[in-house]
């Protein structure tokens, strides 16, 4: 197998896994919050506003992460087809960075809201990706993607300027 096939297969597997989390959050909107963490006891006096906010943040988190993975796949395909010098790379990489930062912020907000939703804060610890330092790592990757997009943008401006000189 070639390296390209393995790379795109890994991206597809990651998108498939995150896609299932996305579907789970959509289903939990209709069938209740208990679907997200079945083993965790919910608070009995759960406010509907907190519940709705929690479900919206869970949906937003998995949706933005899924969208970032799909855009990363587009960048990889576009890079292999068109090479390094393409304006579409800059906008897609910037979009990936913003989506990863948004996913990080929503996961942090979910971690805070878990205190109000679940009976025991640690019982809902298996929810989402918040159970480890992956959230901060996701935010760092998002910031790195924004830096890379800015560098590519400046690189393309310098290249265009150099192409116009004789």
């Amino acid at each position: 197998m070639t390296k390209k096939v393995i790379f795109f297969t890994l991206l597809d597997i990651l998108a498939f896994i995150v896609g299932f989390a996305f579907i789970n959050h959509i289903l939990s909107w209709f069938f209740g919050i208990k679907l997200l963490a079945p083993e965790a006891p919910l608070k009995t006096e759960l406010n509907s506003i907190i519940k709705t906010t929690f479900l919206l943040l869970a949906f937003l988190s998995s949706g933005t992460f899924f969208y970032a993975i799909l855009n990363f796949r587009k960048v990889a395909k576009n890079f292999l087809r068109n090479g390094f010098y393409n304006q579409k790379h800059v906008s897609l990489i910037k979009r990936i960075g913003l989506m990863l930062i948004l996913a990080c912020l929503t996961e942090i907000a979910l971690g805070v809201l878990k205190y109000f939703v679940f009976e025991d804060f640690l019982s809902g610890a298996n929810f989402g990706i918040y159970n480890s330092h992956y959230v901060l790592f996701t935010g760092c990757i998002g910031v790195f993607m924004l830096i890379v997009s800015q560098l590519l943008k400046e690189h393309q401006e310098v290249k265009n300027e150099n192409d116009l000189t004789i």
Side-chain angles (χ1 to χ4, degrees):
M1 264 195 211
T2 65
K3 292 178 183 178
K4 286 191 265 186
V5 172
I6 293 171
F7 178 70
F8 282 112
T9 303
L10 290 174
L11 278 178
D12 288 341
I13 290 170
L14 184 62
F16 187 73
I17 291 169
V18 174
F20 267 122
F22 188 60
I23 290 170
N24 186 16
H25 292 134
I26 292 172
L27 290 176
S28 66
W29 185 265
F30 294 109
F31 297 113
I33 202 166
K34 195 69 175 160
L35 187 64
L36 292 176
E39 72 280 352
L42 295 174
K43 288 192 174 183
T44 54
E45 68 280 347
L46 187 61
N47 191 351
S48 65
I49 295 173
I50 293 175
K51 178 183 172 184
T52 305
T53 306
F54 188 79
L55 288 173
L56 280 175
L57 284 174
F59 178 75
L60 183 66
S61 172
S62 61
T64 55
F65 197 66
F66 185 68
Y67 188 66
I69 291 171
L70 292 181
N71 279 326
F72 187 70
R73 195 172 193 288
K74 281 183 192 177
V75 167
K77 271 189 177 180
N78 197 4
F79 178 72
L80 291 175
R81 272 194 213 133
N82 301 328
F84 187 69
Y85 304 109
N86 192 351
Q87 182 61 30
K88 196 170 185 178
H89 292 310
V90 175
S91 63
L92 285 174
I93 290 173
K94 185 176 182 179
R95 192 178 306 156
I96 291 169
L98 292 174
M99 290 298 114
L100 289 177
I101 290 172
L102 183 62
C104 173
L105 293 176
T106 55
E107 283 291 327
I108 290 171
L110 279 173
V112 171
L113 274 179
K114 275 198 289 189
Y115 177 74
F116 298 106
V117 172
F118 296 108
E119 203 55 55
D120 181 20
F121 178 73
L122 296 176
S123 66
N126 291 330
F127 174 74
I129 61 170
Y130 193 78
N131 57 357
S132 187
H133 296 290
Y134 294 126
V135 173
L136 297 177
F137 185 67
T138 303
C140 290
I141 290 174
V143 171
F144 178 73
M145 288 292 195
L146 289 177
I147 292 170
V148 167
S149 73
Q150 187 63 32
L151 287 174
L152 283 175
K153 182 179 178 183
E154 290 176 10
H155 180 282
Q156 287 178 350
E157 289 173 1
V158 169
K159 182 188 177 298
N160 289 338
E161 195 175 298
N162 284 342
D163 286 345
L164 294 176
T165 58
I166 298 176

